């Protein structure tokens, strides 16, 4: 790609030669000749002077006084996001069904779709236009993948999983597993068939080894634009609102409903049957034990300490109820003393 | 299904027409004509009046004054569990070995078993009657699946994994992986071969992407009726007692033994080499750092707060040891003061 | 194996008959005739007297006064580690490409390598000598597996994943998944192509269902001798130093760098963009929220209590800031009282 082409693609102001060839992307510190970099985080401005990048994506303010080549844009990080796809070495799938794949006679596979080696497409499944189904994928009966979807190798969709358009699913993800539904009969767990499905909106991304269980009765629902990182667990009947993002290792228990535009950091756990409103941020490894009705940030847990200090804190926390009572007692006693002869005001 | 048939199946008292056709199940709020619902949780009694369900599973007490059709049972949730399987759209596997499967010459596969596409069954493995082995499953050498077992697509059993009867294993689960065994030699980790196996009881359920490692020397053991949710990690040599249930994202470290009828909530972690007695409940995301010898509930962690409040709490926890010492000092000082001239009683 | 052969293999001092046949390994408590055991942890010395083992790996000090057969070594646990591989029932793979595997015409597979059923090896991939690629593995374009590597059934390597020598990867692991990279444009997440790769050193072990994402620009890097247990999440651009070990369920956020010889216990979470120095130990389920610059142990979280006690502690923690202020106030008040008329010294 030439710098002029990139400027045009982005609608950027070009500062430098149109014909400059750009062969890749890198950070300011690591970029070498031929590479384009970007300055998004002001913390990294210090690396701008010495960067070996052939050109840099910059805000107008940062471009002032920068002698090198630049593409001036309002949001360099977003510009980098858009341009990154032009340099992606990810192999493109070829349309057609690999001869080794097992496709049910009554499954519908669009001619523009790509079905990889050893994929299994079951009865009544529908694969729309420009979908990639990677090697070793399993698409269960009546499941639907909307147009432009991309399934990495080895993704499992059970039956009745309905996926919107342009959805990306990473390797090892499992959609439609049988949720954890059991009724206890005198100490023995009796299985409840999970007869609902899974419904995924458009433009969703689902990470490596993430699990989304099917609904017990109705569908488990993931809204449009939701981004789920790796190793996430979404239990049966959960609902996730549009454009909510969850980092890795989050676990959401059954029937919990999460609003739109929430950001759930890594390792967060939520109990079941609660509601979280829109625009909530939950910090890493927080345990969400109740509904959240006000937008804003929420946390639980304790800050990291050295092991020696932590041992003291942990022991003290166990004494905390006792401490609170002693404090109250002391307050009363001091109150009695000082109100008795009031030395502080009279003394 | 007709309502009368369902009453007979459940041994329920029928309140309504025998011939009423039931086509599905739904919650009280979501049910429409033709659907059967249930009232188990008293919280949902408010939805009973307006439900559009054609019939409802009810306790006798709740049926009083309910004008609609009902199946009266002692435990509506359990009745729903039993009836749910009648409405399960899960495809039934067909007996026989898919032509694409690779089955070792000396593996034993019962004629009533179903082996899916691209399954691999290794030397000496035994697949009993009425077992379903889904597509892309791998059954290692000498592994045994007892009768009535159901393996979703893409389950891995390493060699020497012995599974009881009627065991359900969801997609992505891995049984018999090599546990984390290393001896440290001057800072370098030397691998210890994991020569034990895995032993799973009857009526066990194992969730999506759950891992159960093989034993280092003897077997890792899961008792009868144990239910393991998704994304669980069971390390080598762990023993789990009968009818214990674990919610998603639990991690149990090596050689820990858990009793019978325990309930381990989501995200719990247990250190290795401890014993947990029968009938223990551990709340979500608790870190179990020592053996538990008394039945009952156990917890760790802190309650969720707004980010602003949490920051204050977290800072204060780090000062807690200091606070405790100051409190003690103050008590002594006040003690001296008040015992010295006892102003409070004499003043 | 004969006891004399084992002595020779280990360079151990033999106490007992050279010709004694050893058929397996077991713990002191569980060993029976024909089995070799070991005493590493002094806690288990009590089991030495009554062990039914035919021979025991012992330190010289523990061998004194032990009447049974023994192999005397400086480090019995390490000796057990070395000897364990001689008794491993793990099936050995046969060299050659299984007829069902799909191997790209331009992939290089060494003649001594074993490629299992339904494996897929994509364009430009390189499989070195004595590598085992298990059934259902996927090796993406241009990925490289160094000599002596062992991939369990069902491992996914995306494109451009470079793996060193003698690396062991357990079932369900995914290397090279697309990291969680999105730029937020007015509330909508825009995907950033992940154009870096993954680089894994020599002698690394990667556990069941562990995920290592590819780098956003440069590679995600795992050093030599690193041991990663099951269900771990390594985000894009993370760097892990040589000989660091992580127990199960750890999550490391993007761009974090971890030093050499660290030990990260189970369930630990680390935020992104931090540095952890060499020789750090982090205890189970700790949340690492900042860089660590000093070797040693670190923890967060609270100790387990009974549910009833925990409820009190949790409530008190929320009052902690208030308590701290009241304590300070009380100190001032008492200070005023005692300095005002000093009854304690004068009384």
């Amino acid at each position: 790609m030439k710098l002029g082409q990139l400027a045009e693609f982005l609608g950027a102001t070009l500062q430098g030669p149109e014909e400059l060839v750009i062969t890749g992307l890198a950070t300011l510190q690591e970029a070498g000749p031929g590479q384009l970099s970007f300055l998004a985080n002001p913390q990294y401005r210090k690396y701008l002077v010495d960067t070996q990048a052939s050109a840099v994506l910059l805000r107008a303010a940062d471009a002032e006084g920068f002698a090198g080549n630049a593409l001036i844009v309002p949001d360099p990080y977003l510009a980098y996001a858009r341009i990154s796809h032009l340099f992606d070495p990810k192999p493109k799938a070829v349309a057609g069904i690999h001869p080794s794949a097992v496709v049910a006679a009554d499954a519908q596979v669009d001619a523009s779709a790509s079905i990889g080696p050893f994929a299994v497409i079951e009865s009544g499944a529908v694969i729309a236009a420009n979908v990639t189904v990677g090697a070793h994928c399993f698409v269960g009966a009546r499941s639907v993948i909307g147009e432009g979807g991309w399934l990495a190798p080895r993704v499992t969709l059970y039956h009745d999983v309905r996926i919107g358009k342009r959805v990306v699913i990473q390797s090892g993800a499992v959609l439609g597993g049988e949720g954890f539904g059991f009724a206890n009969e005198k100490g023995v767990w009796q299985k409840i068939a999970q007869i609902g499905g899974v419904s995924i909106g458009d433009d969703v991304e689902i990470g490596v080894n993430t699990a989304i269980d099917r609904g017990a009765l109705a569908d488990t629902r993931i809204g449009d634009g939701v981004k789920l990182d790796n190793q996430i667990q979404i239990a049966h009947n959960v609902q996730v609102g549009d454009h909510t993002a969850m980092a890795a290792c989050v676990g959401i228990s059954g029937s919990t409903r999460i609003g739109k535009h929430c950001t759930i950091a890594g390792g967060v756990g939520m109990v079941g049957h609660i509601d979280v409103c829109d625009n909530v941020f939950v910090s890493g490894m927080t345990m969400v034990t109740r509904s959240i009705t006000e937008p804003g940030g929420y946390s639980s847990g304790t800050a990291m300490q050295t092991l020696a200090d932590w041992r003291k804190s942990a022991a003290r926390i166990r004494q905390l109820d006792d401490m609170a009572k002693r404090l109250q007692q002391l307050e009363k006693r001091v109150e009695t003393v000082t109100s008795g002869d009031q030395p502080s005001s009279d003394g």
Side-chain angles (χ1 to χ4, degrees), chain A:
Chain A
M1 302 284 300
K2 292 178 183 172
L3 196 60
Q5 291 175 300
L6 294 174
E8 201 182 323
F9 175 77
L10 290 172
T13 304
L14 174 64
Q15 175 177 307
E18 267 190 29
E19 296 301 309
L20 183 73
V21 175
I22 298 297
T23 58
L25 302 177
T27 61
L28 287 171
Q29 301 107 290
E30 293 178 343
Q35 291 187 304
L36 177 69
S37 192
F38 62 95
L39 172 58
N41 186 336
Q43 272 195 289
Y44 296 131
R45 192 172 294 149
K46 58 188 173 195
Y47 298 119
L48 187 57
V49 180
D50 294 327
T51 188
Q52 300 299 307
S54 285
V56 184
L57 291 161
L58 290 174
R59 271 185 213 88
D62 290 316
E64 277 173 37
F66 177 64
N69 302 319
L71 295 176
I72 300 163
V73 291
D75 185 340
Y77 196 62
L78 189 59
Y80 152 57
R82 292 184 57 201
I83 233 168
S84 66
H85 299 274
L86 305 177
F87 296 93
D88 193 355
K90 182 156 97 169
K92 301 285 175 288
V94 181
I97 299 174
H98 192 276
S100 67
V102 171
V103 179
D106 64 347
Q108 296 172 45
V109 178
D110 190 275
S112 62
S114 170
I115 310 294
F118 310 124
V120 175
I121 314 282
E122 297 238 299
S123 173
V126 178
I127 313 291
N130 301 311
V131 166
T132 298
V133 174
H136 304 123
C137 282
F138 179 89
V139 179
R142 299 173 302 276
S143 284
V144 177
I145 306 176
E147 64 182 64
W150 185 84
L151 273 60
R154 199 226 298 171
V155 167
T156 300
L157 311 183
Y158 281 60
H159 54 284
D160 300 308
V161 173
R162 287 160 285 269
I163 291 177
K165 296 175 183 171
R166 298 171 300 278
V167 169
V168 171
I169 309 184
Q170 304 290 339
S171 186
V174 176
L175 278 66
E178 297 175 4
F180 204 61
F182 300 94
N184 198 300
E185 183 180 21
K186 298 174 191 168
V188 174
W189 298 101
Q190 303 295 350
K191 185 176 173 81
I192 300 169
Q194 304 291 301
I195 67 182
V198 175
S199 168
I200 307 282
D202 296 335
D203 301 302
V204 170
E205 177 134 357
I206 296 169
V208 169
N209 287 344
T210 281
I212 303 177
D213 283 338
R214 63 193 315 103
L217 292 167
D219 282 5
T220 302
R221 292 181 183 282
I222 308 292
D224 292 337
V226 169
K227 307 298 178 185
L228 303 179
D229 198 355
N230 299 354
Q231 312 270 28
I232 287 175
Q233 152 68 2
I234 305 285
H236 53 188
N237 310 320
V238 165
Q239 297 181 24
V240 180
D242 298 347
H243 307 296
T244 280
M246 299 189 194
C249 306
V250 166
I252 310 293
S253 305
S255 300
T256 280
R257 291 184 295 192
I258 300 172
K260 298 177 182 178
H261 297 289
C262 293
T263 311
I264 314 298
V268 165
M270 293 198 190
V271 299
H273 297 273
I274 60 171
D275 285 358
V276 172
C277 67
D278 297 348
N279 296 304
V280 163
F281 164 71
V282 183
S283 74
M285 295 178 80
T286 289
M287 171 78 176
V288 181
T289 49
R290 56 180 170 81
S291 288
I292 296 178
T293 56
E294 295 293 323
Y298 295 85
S299 283
S300 74
T302 74
M304 185 180 73
Q305 300 182 274
T306 65
L307 203 48
D309 286 345
W310 176 82
R311 282 203 185 104
K312 286 182 205 163
S313 298
R316 292 305 188 187
I317 286 171
R318 297 173 72 162
Q319 302 162 0
L320 202 49
D321 189 54
D322 175 62
M323 274 175 66
K325 285 175 184 158
R326 283 160 51 202
L327 178 61
Q328 202 174 9
Q329 221 162 18
L330 209 55
E331 283 174 328
K332 275 189 199 158
R333 202 159 171 185
V334 169
E335 181 60 35
T336 314
V337 174
T338 53
S339 63
D341 58 1
Q342 294 162 330
S344 64
S345 47
D346 295 7

